[in-house]
Amino acid sequence: MNDAETSETERSERNPRFCSMPKEALEELAVSAIHEHRRLLSADEAVYEEWIRASGDPSVSSDVLANLQDEYIARQKKSEAQQEELSQIIDALGYIPDVPSDDPN
């Protein structure tokens, strides 16, 4: 077995649900997952910035700070799970597809 076949076999063993998909469908899924990952990161950053801003404001209650912290931690867990799935999709695809910037400018 050559290196390419070994690599393909290893990918299918790690990601059986994605490896059976056609390359075109996998690429579409990867592009969609990358856009979702970018969206999650942006939203996570906004919550983090609000939490940091609120932490420096003495008028913000400890309950509000705790809620912001809990929200940020929950978002991080969701982002981590989404990142793992994205990684599996890219592993099954075998490359990172070109994805245009989400920035409208």
Side-chain angles (χ1 to χ4, degrees), residues 15-81:
N15 309 304
R17 74 180 187 174
F18 297 117
C19 286
S20 62
M21 294 177 69
K23 286 280 188 198
E24 297 78 23
L26 260 177
E27 187 168 321
E28 287 179 25
L29 188 59
V31 169
S32 176
I34 290 168
H35 283 295
E36 174 68 5
H37 184 68
R38 290 175 180 173
R39 188 191 66 72
L40 287 173
L41 286 176
S42 179
D44 292 352
E45 185 176 328
V47 170
Y48 178 75
E49 288 174 2
E50 179 61 20
W51 175 33
I52 294 302
R53 186 204 58 74
S55 295
D57 185 344
S59 67
V60 175
S61 74
S62 60
D63 286 343
V64 169
L65 287 176
N67 285 337
L68 286 168
Q69 181 179 13
D70 292 346
E71 172 75 14
Y72 180 70
I73 291 169
R75 287 178 165 279
Q76 287 295 292
K77 288 178 183 177
K78 182 178 180 179
S79 289
E80 182 180 339

Side-chain angles (χ1 to χ4, degrees), residues 8 11 23 26 89-96:
E8 185 67 31
R11 281 198 299 267
K23 286 280 188 198
L26 260 177
I89 293 166
I90 289 172
D91 280 352
L93 184 58
Y95 62 93
I96 300 172

